[in-house]
Amino acid sequence: MKAAFVTRYGGPEVLEFRDAAIPEPGPDQVLVKVRCIGLNFADIVGRFGAYPGTPKPPYIPGLEFSGDVVRIGSGVTRFSGRERIMGYSKLGSHAEYVLVNQHYATAAPEQMSYEEAASFLVSMLSAYHGLVRLANLHTGERILVHAAAGGVGLASVQIGRHLNAEVFATAGTDEKVELAKSFGAHHAINYTTDAFEKKIDGLTDGYGVDVVMDSVGGEVFKKSWALLAPMGRYLLLGVSSMTTADGNLTRAMIVDAYEQMKPIFPPGLIHINKGIFGFNLGLITGKERYFEEAAGELLTWYRLGALRPLVGKVFPFREIVDAHRYLQNRQSVGKVVVRMDE
């Protein structure tokens, strides 16, 4: 099979097509013929060697896909070998075939295209895990979603709206602001032209927000932490601010982004009545039942019309280097998808 390997840590140019053997499914595994790959910022950070659990090169990256089950291993009960599925592979989806644990995949609805299926699971599950399971978001609460035009951002906006929260969103262009509004944000702010923290402070008469969904970090973290109301919950799931507007990323930039973030003194949380969660889906293991339950609820909401994935741009597999570069430049909206060459 053809696969895109990370040959060394670095920029998009380190991706190289190589031939690889089609893997054999082991216990609880299914072999999938990949139709589409959903790109995530974790793929970018991992390519630089800055993502926890990233193996040493050469390796096949890619944690999300849609495709067709072609072979099953021993103990597999969820699939028979013919299903259209979408899945979370952790690694390996930048290839014509990928192995996935049966519990980290689910059948794709008939009305969902392969492109949409590759855009759904990781983004929606990230937003669900943060807002529903960790923050325990309630009706009438206020949430702030950063990078609201991206895959996780739009998922967070939709889930917040579905749970009857008041949704505040930030994005970097007027077009992205309008997109966030079209997906359900009550208030959307262009952070390049307005100080979002002052705007939200005014809109809420100084109350702030109950929940923050932050995949940006850096200076944004400082400002958003100050906006968090008593009994507020802060959800940190990424630090995309470590890259520049043109997509450059170095270890020095990573260190700088981390140093900009206000340190948390645990005993102090008692007095300010705030909490912070960090989570990384790539490090979730042994949570098969949780994954199945969460994916099932998300698909129920999808069928109700409360959730819809947005495919922002599609690249052919032969242009996967360009797809990585496009996502890394932080100009994308929705999900960047790579479609396998016919």
Side-chain angles (χ1 to χ4, degrees), residues 1 4 23-24 31 69 81-82 98 114 120 130 149 177 179 183 197 204 215 224 253 275 280 324 332:
M1 70 175 182
E24 285 291 330
L31 178 68
V69 177
R82 298 180 177 85
V98 66
Y114 284 115
F120 187 86
V177 162
L179 179 65
F183 272 72
E197 69 279 14
T204 62
S215 60
S224 304
M253 294 174 186
N280 182 337
H324 267 245
S332 61

Side-chain angles (χ1 to χ4, degrees), residues 20-47:
I22 297 175
E24 285 291 330
D28 280 338
Q29 289 184 321
V30 296
L31 178 68
V32 181
K33 182 174 178 58
V34 176
R35 299 295 185 179
C36 287
I37 303 160
L39 291 190
N40 294 273
F41 203 75
D43 298 321
I44 306 302
V45 180
R47 199 186 63 232

